[in-house]
């Protein structure tokens, strides 16, 4: 209890005159005691006890010596302002989530329909044959790929392209003396053939592709340019 008898201006045996600072301190003490009785700190998401035995406010990043001091902090302007900002942020996120949830059924339906049409069948069957040109004696490669499960063969023709050894990520380190011939046709998997990294003859009849719609067979024939033909 505060001794109010021996204060300046007070009569002997009277209660004494309490200063404004002491009155404010007593008011805060009463509020702390009342808060400790009514508030369950175990359910406070922002209260954390650290390894030093003191308390931390995770919302305001402040340190407190005991629970009463923390409760006093929660009634202050800084903590109340932080709670208001947190409430506004959560309300904004809830609105954004509501808009996203409205769009999710439409997006999921579109994505599921696309995924159903793009189910991979697997690798196509293929045959590779080597030969030489009867006139120039240049080396020749023929690739024959079979796509028996292709539904719309008239509108889905296999595509091809050449890829350098430095583009691929399968074989490391890359070998610059080779290149890769890629052939793709959905829903089949893309296949790649490793061939010598030499110049390919693009002359008439030297690089030929053919797509047999009825048999669903794709054929590609290429000729390599020899050093003699290159000099000429």
């Amino acid at each position: 209890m505060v001794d109010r008898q021996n204060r300046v201006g007070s009569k002997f045996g009277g209660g004494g005159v309490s200063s404004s600072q002491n009155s404010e301190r007593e008011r805060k003490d009463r509020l702390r005691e009342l808060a400790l009785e009514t508030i369950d700190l175990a359910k406070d998401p922002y209260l954390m006890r650290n390894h030093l035995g003191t308390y931390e406010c995770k919302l305001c990043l402040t340190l407190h010596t005991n629970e009463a001091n923390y409760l006093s902090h929660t009634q202050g302007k800084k903590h109340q302002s932080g709670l208001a900002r947190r409430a506004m942020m959560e309300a904004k996120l809830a609105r954004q989530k509501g808009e996203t949830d409205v769009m999710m059924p439409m997006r999921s339906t579109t994505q599921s329909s696309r995924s159903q049409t793009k189910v991979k069948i697997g690798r196509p069957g293929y045959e590779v044959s080597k030969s030489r040109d009867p006139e120039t004696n240049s080396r020749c490669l023929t690739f024959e790929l079979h796509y028996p499960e292709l539904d719309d063969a008239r509108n889905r023709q296999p595509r091809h392209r050449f890829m350098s050894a430095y583009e691929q990520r399968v074989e490391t380190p890359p070998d610059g003396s080779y290149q890769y011939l890629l052939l793709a046709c959905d829903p089949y998997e893309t296949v790649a053939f490793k061939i010598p990294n030499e110049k390919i003859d693009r002359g008439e009849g030297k690089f030929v592709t053919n797509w047999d719609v009825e048999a669903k067979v794709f054929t590609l024939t290429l000729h390599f340019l020899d050093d003699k033909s290159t000099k000429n």
Side-chain angles (χ1 to χ4, degrees):
M1 292 293 294
V2 179
D3 184 9
R4 297 178 180 174
Q5 291 184 347
N6 301 319
R7 294 171 183 262
V8 177
S10 64
K11 294 182 180 181
F12 180 79
V17 179
S18 178
S19 65
S20 60
Q21 293 181 353
N22 291 328
S23 299
E24 181 66 19
R25 188 180 299 110
E26 291 179 0
R27 186 184 69 83
K28 290 184 178 180
D29 290 340
R30 290 195 301 269
L31 289 175
R32 290 173 186 171
E33 293 176 0
L34 180 62
L36 285 172
E37 295 176 359
T38 58
I39 299 176
D40 187 4
L41 292 178
K43 297 181 180 179
D44 192 331
Y46 305 113
L47 176 62
M48 181 183 70
R49 187 169 184 175
N50 58 28
H51 65 286
L52 299 176
T54 57
Y55 296 87
E56 297 182 17
C57 177
K58 294 189 290 184
L59 180 64
C60 306
L61 303 178
T62 54
L63 293 174
H64 306 277
T65 56
N66 49 49
E67 294 180 349
N69 185 261
Y70 172 77
L71 285 173
S72 178
H73 161 74
T74 58
Q75 305 303 317
K77 182 178 179 180
K78 182 177 182 180
H79 191 83
Q80 294 297 323
S81 300
L83 290 175
R85 289 194 301 268
R86 182 65 181 238
M88 292 176 60
M89 183 181 66
E90 291 179 352
K92 183 179 179 180
L93 292 175
R95 289 195 299 270
Q96 293 177 352
K97 185 177 184 300
E99 295 175 358
T100 305
D101 291 341
V102 172
M103 296 298 294
M104 279 301 293
M106 184 183 299
R107 293 177 181 174
S108 61
T109 303
T110 306
Q111 292 175 355
S112 61
S113 61
R114 290 178 180 176
S115 61
Q116 290 177 0
T117 58
K118 291 188 176 182
V119 175
K120 293 295 183 181
I121 295 177
R123 294 181 181 178
Y126 62 88
E127 297 178 8
V128 181
S129 57
K130 301 178 182 180
S131 61
R132 287 189 176 271
D133 189 284
E135 298 179 357
T136 61
N137 199 34
S138 61
R139 290 167 298 161
C140 172
L141 290 176
T142 300
F143 303 88
E144 186 177 287
L145 291 92
H146 302 263
Y147 299 92
E149 302 297 330
L150 192 62
D151 294 333
D152 194 0
R154 296 187 180 277
N155 297 322
R156 288 188 179 182
Q157 179 176 344
R159 305 295 178 182
H160 71 276
R161 83 173 185 93
F162 292 93
M163 181 175 68
S164 71
Y166 301 97
E167 292 182 67
Q168 56 87 30
R169 295 293 182 269
V170 178
E171 295 185 353
T172 54
D175 189 351
S177 60
Y178 291 94
Q179 61 182 328
Y180 296 85
L181 171 64
L182 275 64
L183 295 109
C185 184
D186 283 335
Y188 282 86
E189 294 181 2
T190 302
V191 293
F193 297 95
K194 186 176 181 180
I195 61 176
N197 187 17
E198 300 177 9
K199 291 184 179 181
I200 297 174
D201 192 350
R202 299 282 182 170
E204 184 179 356
K206 301 299 182 180
F207 189 90
V208 181
T209 61
N210 179 65
W211 173 233
D212 191 335
V213 177
E214 301 299 331
K216 300 179 182 179
V217 176
F218 180 77
T219 305
L220 185 148
T221 302
L222 60 87
H223 292 71
F224 291 102
L225 275 173
D226 293 335
D227 294 337
K228 294 181 181 180
S229 58
T230 303
K231 292 178 182 180
N232 294 334

